Amino acid sequence: MSDTQDLATVPVVATQVKLGGWSRQGGGSGSVHQRRHQELQAFLSLLEHSFLQEFLSKDPCFQISDKYLLAMVLVYFRRANLKLSEYTHSNLFLALFLANDMEEDVEDPKCVIFLWALGKGWHLRVSDFLHQRDNLWARMGFRAMVSRECCEEVMAKERSHWAWTRERRPQHGGAQRGPKARVPLPGPPSLSPPHCSLCGWPPSHSHCHHQPRPLPVLTKCPSPTPDWHCPPLQACLSVAEDSLVGGFLIIPPPQLPLEPGTYSLHILPKPPPRPGY
Protein backbone atom coordinates (compact mmCIF):
# COMPACT_ATOMS: atom_id res chain seq x y z
CA MET A 1 0.00 0.00 0.00
CA SER A 2 1.84 2.97 -1.30
CA ASP A 3 1.09 6.52 -0.32
CA THR A 4 -0.75 6.95 -3.62
CA GLN A 5 -3.14 4.24 -2.53
CA ASP A 6 -3.84 5.92 0.80
CA LEU A 7 -7.60 6.05 1.30
CA ALA A 8 -7.72 8.38 4.29
CA THR A 9 -8.49 12.01 3.65
CA VAL A 10 -5.98 13.15 6.26
CA PRO A 11 -2.26 13.44 5.61
CA VAL A 12 0.12 10.60 6.39
CA VAL A 13 1.51 10.83 9.89
CA ALA A 14 5.24 11.02 10.44
CA THR A 15 6.36 9.16 13.52
CA GLN A 16 7.76 11.17 16.39
CA VAL A 17 10.52 8.73 17.27
CA LYS A 18 13.89 8.31 15.61
CA LEU A 19 13.73 5.25 13.40
CA GLY A 20 16.94 3.77 12.16
CA GLY A 21 17.11 1.83 8.93
CA TRP A 22 17.23 -1.93 8.88
CA SER A 23 17.39 -4.70 6.33
CA ARG A 24 14.99 -7.61 6.10
CA GLN A 25 17.82 -9.93 5.11
CA GLY A 26 20.64 -11.06 7.30
CA GLY A 27 21.33 -10.11 10.89
CA GLY A 28 20.85 -12.16 13.99
CA SER A 29 18.42 -12.07 16.86
CA GLY A 30 19.67 -8.62 17.82
CA SER A 31 18.57 -7.08 14.51
CA VAL A 32 15.20 -8.84 14.76
CA HIS A 33 14.72 -7.46 18.26
CA GLN A 34 15.65 -3.96 17.08
CA ARG A 35 13.25 -4.18 14.16
CA ARG A 36 10.38 -5.32 16.40
CA HIS A 37 11.10 -2.45 18.79
CA GLN A 38 11.04 0.09 15.93
CA GLU A 39 7.77 -1.32 14.63
CA LEU A 40 6.17 -1.12 18.06
CA GLN A 41 7.32 2.47 18.59
CA ALA A 42 6.09 3.48 15.13
CA PHE A 43 2.70 1.92 15.85
CA LEU A 44 2.31 3.51 19.28
CA SER A 45 3.40 6.85 17.85
CA LEU A 46 0.72 6.55 15.17
CA LEU A 47 -1.92 6.03 17.87
CA GLU A 48 -0.88 9.32 19.48
CA HIS A 49 -1.92 11.39 16.46
CA SER A 50 -4.90 13.66 17.14
CA PHE A 51 -7.01 12.16 14.33
CA LEU A 52 -6.72 8.64 15.69
CA GLN A 53 -7.13 9.90 19.25
CA GLU A 54 -10.44 11.41 18.14
CA PHE A 55 -11.44 8.15 16.46
CA LEU A 56 -10.61 6.09 19.55
CA SER A 57 -12.50 8.50 21.79
CA LYS A 58 -15.69 7.85 19.81
CA ASP A 59 -15.52 4.19 20.83
CA PRO A 60 -15.66 4.54 24.63
CA CYS A 61 -17.01 1.02 25.12
CA PHE A 62 -14.19 -0.39 22.99
CA GLN A 63 -16.54 -2.28 20.70
CA ILE A 64 -14.28 -1.95 17.63
CA SER A 65 -10.94 -0.90 19.12
CA ASP A 66 -10.24 -2.67 22.39
CA LYS A 67 -6.70 -3.60 23.36
CA TYR A 68 -6.79 -6.98 21.63
CA LEU A 69 -8.05 -5.56 18.32
CA LEU A 70 -5.36 -2.86 18.44
CA ALA A 71 -2.70 -5.48 19.16
CA MET A 72 -3.98 -7.46 16.17
CA VAL A 73 -3.41 -4.42 13.96
CA LEU A 74 0.29 -4.40 14.83
CA VAL A 75 0.50 -8.16 14.25
CA TYR A 76 -1.10 -7.64 10.82
CA PHE A 77 1.38 -4.87 10.00
CA ARG A 78 4.24 -7.22 10.81
CA ARG A 79 2.80 -10.16 8.90
CA ALA A 80 2.34 -7.92 5.85
CA ASN A 81 5.96 -6.73 6.20
CA LEU A 82 4.83 -3.11 6.01
CA LYS A 83 7.57 -0.53 5.86
CA LEU A 84 7.62 1.96 8.70
CA SER A 85 6.49 4.61 6.21
CA GLU A 86 3.36 2.50 5.67
CA TYR A 87 2.26 2.84 9.28
CA THR A 88 -0.53 5.20 8.26
CA HIS A 89 -4.12 6.00 9.16
CA SER A 90 -5.54 4.17 6.17
CA ASN A 91 -3.58 0.98 6.77
CA LEU A 92 -4.58 1.05 10.43
CA PHE A 93 -8.25 1.34 9.48
CA LEU A 94 -7.89 -1.50 6.95
CA ALA A 95 -6.22 -3.76 9.51
CA LEU A 96 -8.68 -2.82 12.25
CA PHE A 97 -11.62 -3.59 9.96
CA LEU A 98 -10.08 -6.98 9.14
CA ALA A 99 -9.52 -7.66 12.85
CA ASN A 100 -13.20 -6.92 13.49
CA ASP A 101 -14.10 -9.25 10.62
CA MET A 102 -12.18 -12.03 12.33
CA GLU A 103 -13.18 -11.52 15.96
CA GLU A 104 -16.53 -9.76 16.27
CA ASP A 105 -19.99 -11.29 15.91
CA VAL A 106 -21.92 -8.04 15.42
CA GLU A 107 -21.45 -6.33 12.06
CA ASP A 108 -22.89 -2.85 12.64
CA PRO A 109 -20.22 -1.22 14.88
CA LYS A 110 -17.30 -1.74 12.49
CA CYS A 111 -19.17 0.04 9.68
CA VAL A 112 -18.36 3.32 11.46
CA ILE A 113 -14.77 2.78 10.31
CA PHE A 114 -15.90 3.65 6.77
CA LEU A 115 -16.75 7.21 7.84
CA TRP A 116 -13.33 7.77 9.39
CA ALA A 117 -11.24 6.03 6.75
CA LEU A 118 -13.00 7.43 3.68
CA GLY A 119 -14.32 10.82 4.78
CA LYS A 120 -16.90 12.73 2.77
CA GLY A 121 -18.54 10.58 0.15
CA TRP A 122 -17.54 7.43 2.01
CA HIS A 123 -20.49 5.44 0.65
CA LEU A 124 -19.09 5.75 -2.88
CA ARG A 125 -15.71 4.31 -1.86
CA VAL A 126 -16.66 1.34 0.30
CA SER A 127 -15.93 -1.20 -2.44
CA ASP A 128 -12.45 0.31 -2.90
CA PHE A 129 -11.85 0.12 0.85
CA LEU A 130 -12.82 -3.56 0.91
CA HIS A 131 -10.56 -4.22 -2.06
CA GLN A 132 -7.65 -2.61 -0.20
CA ARG A 133 -8.50 -4.69 2.87
CA ASP A 134 -8.22 -7.82 0.74
CA ASN A 135 -4.88 -6.58 -0.63
CA LEU A 136 -3.57 -6.21 2.92
CA TRP A 137 -4.90 -9.67 3.75
CA ALA A 138 -3.04 -11.07 0.73
CA ARG A 139 0.19 -9.36 1.80
CA MET A 140 -0.21 -11.17 5.12
CA GLY A 141 -0.39 -14.50 3.32
CA PHE A 142 -4.08 -14.67 4.32
CA ARG A 143 -3.04 -15.31 7.94
CA ALA A 144 -5.64 -13.29 9.81
CA MET A 145 -6.08 -15.51 12.88
CA VAL A 146 -4.24 -14.11 15.92
CA SER A 147 -4.15 -15.93 19.23
CA ARG A 148 -4.76 -14.24 22.57
CA GLU A 149 -1.24 -15.21 23.60
CA CYS A 150 0.19 -13.44 20.56
CA CYS A 151 -1.72 -10.24 21.44
CA GLU A 152 -0.55 -10.40 25.04
CA GLU A 153 3.03 -10.87 23.90
CA VAL A 154 2.73 -7.65 21.87
CA MET A 155 1.26 -5.77 24.83
CA ALA A 156 3.93 -7.07 27.21
CA LYS A 157 6.60 -5.04 25.39
CA GLU A 158 5.03 -1.77 26.65
CA ARG A 159 2.84 -2.87 29.54
CA SER A 160 2.09 0.63 30.82
CA HIS A 161 0.93 2.12 27.50
CA TRP A 162 -2.61 3.52 27.56
CA ALA A 163 -3.64 1.52 24.47
CA TRP A 164 -3.50 -1.67 26.54
CA THR A 165 -5.88 -0.24 29.16
CA ARG A 166 -8.75 -0.36 26.63
CA GLU A 167 -10.30 -3.35 28.37
CA ARG A 168 -13.78 -4.22 27.13
CA ARG A 169 -16.27 -4.64 29.95
CA PRO A 170 -18.04 -7.99 30.42
CA GLN A 171 -21.41 -6.63 29.28
CA HIS A 172 -19.91 -5.97 25.84
CA GLY A 173 -17.95 -9.20 25.59
CA GLY A 174 -18.66 -12.75 24.54
CA ALA A 175 -20.39 -14.10 21.47
CA GLN A 176 -23.71 -12.46 20.64
CA ARG A 177 -26.01 -15.14 19.27
CA GLY A 178 -29.35 -13.48 19.85
CA PRO A 179 -31.02 -10.16 20.69
CA LYS A 180 -29.42 -8.22 23.53
CA ALA A 181 -29.91 -4.82 25.04
CA ARG A 182 -29.47 -2.05 22.48
CA VAL A 183 -26.11 -0.33 22.90
CA PRO A 184 -24.98 2.78 21.02
CA LEU A 185 -22.64 2.42 18.08
CA PRO A 186 -19.19 4.04 18.11
CA GLY A 187 -19.54 7.63 16.97
CA PRO A 188 -18.78 9.15 13.58
CA PRO A 189 -16.52 12.20 13.18
CA SER A 190 -17.54 15.51 14.76
CA LEU A 191 -20.09 13.97 17.16
CA SER A 192 -19.51 13.44 20.85
CA PRO A 193 -18.97 9.87 22.06
CA PRO A 194 -22.23 8.01 22.66
CA HIS A 195 -23.58 7.46 26.15
CA CYS A 196 -23.85 3.81 27.19
CA SER A 197 -26.42 2.95 29.84
CA LEU A 198 -24.69 -0.40 30.44
CA CYS A 199 -21.35 1.19 31.30
CA GLY A 200 -22.50 4.50 32.75
CA TRP A 201 -20.70 7.73 31.88
CA PRO A 202 -17.87 8.08 31.32
CA PRO A 203 -16.56 4.53 30.81
CA SER A 204 -13.21 3.99 32.51
CA HIS A 205 -10.02 4.51 30.45
CA SER A 206 -11.93 6.00 27.52
CA HIS A 207 -9.24 8.67 26.96
CA CYS A 208 -11.84 11.18 25.93
CA HIS A 209 -12.06 14.73 27.22
CA HIS A 210 -15.33 15.64 25.53
CA GLN A 211 -18.53 16.34 27.39
CA PRO A 212 -21.11 13.58 26.93
CA ARG A 213 -23.89 14.09 24.40
CA PRO A 214 -26.16 11.21 23.39
CA LEU A 215 -25.55 9.98 19.86
CA PRO A 216 -28.79 10.29 17.86
CA VAL A 217 -29.40 6.67 16.87
CA LEU A 218 -32.70 5.49 15.45
CA THR A 219 -33.53 1.85 14.95
CA LYS A 220 -36.02 0.84 12.26
CA CYS A 221 -36.35 -2.54 10.60
CA PRO A 222 -37.94 -3.08 7.19
CA SER A 223 -40.82 -5.50 7.00
CA PRO A 224 -39.61 -9.07 6.51
CA THR A 225 -40.05 -10.66 3.11
CA PRO A 226 -39.78 -14.33 2.06
CA ASP A 227 -36.33 -13.55 0.61
CA TRP A 228 -34.88 -11.65 3.55
CA HIS A 229 -35.24 -12.24 7.27
CA CYS A 230 -34.79 -9.31 9.66
CA PRO A 231 -33.15 -10.34 12.96
CA PRO A 232 -34.05 -8.09 15.90
CA LEU A 233 -30.67 -6.31 16.15
CA GLN A 234 -28.19 -7.02 13.40
CA ALA A 235 -30.50 -6.20 10.48
CA CYS A 236 -31.55 -2.78 11.76
CA LEU A 237 -30.65 0.49 10.12
CA SER A 238 -28.39 2.77 12.12
CA VAL A 239 -29.12 6.44 11.54
CA ALA A 240 -26.90 9.23 12.85
CA GLU A 241 -26.66 12.95 12.16
CA ASP A 242 -23.93 13.87 9.67
CA SER A 243 -22.60 17.29 10.61
CA LEU A 244 -20.04 17.24 7.75
CA VAL A 245 -22.50 17.54 4.89
CA GLY A 246 -25.78 17.98 6.74
CA GLY A 247 -28.65 15.51 6.98
CA PHE A 248 -28.22 11.99 8.25
CA LEU A 249 -26.00 8.98 7.65
CA ILE A 250 -27.76 5.66 7.22
CA ILE A 251 -25.65 2.52 7.69
CA PRO A 252 -27.48 -0.51 6.22
CA PRO A 253 -27.05 -3.98 7.73
CA PRO A 254 -24.73 -6.44 5.98
CA GLN A 255 -27.74 -8.63 5.12
CA LEU A 256 -29.07 -5.87 2.87
CA PRO A 257 -26.65 -5.36 -0.07
CA LEU A 258 -27.41 -2.21 -2.07
CA GLU A 259 -26.17 -1.14 -5.48
CA PRO A 260 -25.04 2.50 -5.97
CA GLY A 261 -28.01 4.73 -6.67
CA THR A 262 -30.77 6.77 -5.05
CA TYR A 263 -33.23 5.15 -2.68
CA SER A 264 -36.33 6.35 -0.86
CA LEU A 265 -36.64 5.47 2.80
CA HIS A 266 -40.15 5.00 4.12
CA ILE A 267 -40.67 4.65 7.87
CA LEU A 268 -43.96 2.93 8.51
CA PRO A 269 -46.05 4.03 11.52
CA LYS A 270 -46.39 1.62 14.38
CA PRO A 271 -49.61 -0.41 13.90
CA PRO A 272 -52.34 0.10 16.50
CA PRO A 273 -52.71 -2.64 19.12
CA ARG A 274 -55.20 -5.34 18.40
CA PRO A 275 -58.43 -5.31 20.43
CA GLY A 276 -58.11 -7.05 23.71
CA TYR A 277 -54.39 -6.25 24.18
Side-chain angles (χ1 to χ4, degrees), residues 4 40 56 61-62 70 76 82 87 112 117 122 140 142 170 189 191 204-205 210 214 246 252 263 270:
T4 58
L40 176 60
L56 294 172
C61 295
F62 316 141
L70 292 178
Y76 287 172
L82 296 190
Y87 281 48
V112 176
W122 63 271
M140 294 160 45
F142 301 102
L191 287 184
S204 62
H205 307 302
H210 300 277
Y263 296 84
K270 183 178 181 180

Side-chain angles (χ1 to χ4, degrees), residues 170-222:
Q171 56 265 39
H172 293 306
Q176 299 188 26
R177 306 303 186 194
K180 288 190 175 184
R182 176 70 173 169
V183 296
L185 296 178
S190 75
L191 287 184
S192 297
H195 172 78
C196 179
S197 59
L198 297 178
C199 294
W201 186 268
S204 62
H205 307 302
S206 65
H207 299 284
C208 173
H209 303 289
H210 300 277
Q211 293 299 317
R213 182 161 66 94
L215 177 67
V217 174
L218 177 64
T219 299
K220 294 290 181 181
C221 286

Side-chain angles (χ1 to χ4, degrees), residues 12-116:
V12 173
V13 180
T15 56
Q16 299 299 313
V17 295
K18 294 183 179 180
L19 303 172
W22 46 266
S23 171
R24 297 188 187 280
Q25 292 83 22
S29 59
S31 63
V32 172
H33 176 77
Q34 181 184 13
R35 182 173 76 237
R36 288 291 184 253
H37 177 73
Q38 291 174 343
E39 291 167 343
L40 176 60
Q41 295 306 312
F43 177 73
L44 296 180
S45 180
L46 177 63
L47 294 181
E48 296 291 343
H49 190 267
S50 58
F51 182 71
L52 289 177
Q53 287 280 298
E54 184 72 10
F55 165 72
L56 294 172
S57 75
K58 300 303 175 65
D59 182 25
C61 295
F62 316 141
Q63 296 185 71
I64 61 174
S65 60
D66 73 351
K67 64 180 184 179
Y68 288 106
L69 293 170
L70 292 178
M72 287 178 68
V73 170
L74 178 55
V75 173
Y76 287 172
F77 281 9
R78 289 173 170 174
R79 288 180 179 177
N81 288 325
L82 296 190
K83 301 176 183 177
L84 296 179
S85 60
E86 295 179 288
Y87 281 48
T88 62
H89 294 120
S90 60
N91 281 336
L92 183 142
F93 286 131
L94 292 171
L96 186 60
F97 196 92
L98 180 58
N100 275 267
D101 280 340
M102 294 301 300
E103 295 297 330
E104 301 303 318
D105 297 295
V106 180
E107 295 287 329
D108 288 353
K110 71 179 181 184
C111 293
V112 176
I113 295 176
F114 293 142
L115 283 68
W116 291 86

Side-chain angles (χ1 to χ4, degrees), residues 148-204:
R148 182 187 183 101
E149 292 75 15
C150 183
C151 291
E152 291 176 346
E153 182 180 348
V154 167
M155 292 185 280
K157 302 300 182 181
E158 289 280 353
R159 294 183 184 276
S160 61
H161 195 272
W162 59 261
W164 316 137
T165 68
R166 296 176 65 84
E167 183 83 41
R168 193 179 307 184
R169 293 192 174 187
Q171 56 265 39
H172 293 306
Q176 299 188 26
R177 306 303 186 194
K180 288 190 175 184
R182 176 70 173 169
V183 296
L185 296 178
S190 75
L191 287 184
S192 297
H195 172 78
C196 179
S197 59
L198 297 178
C199 294
W201 186 268
S204 62

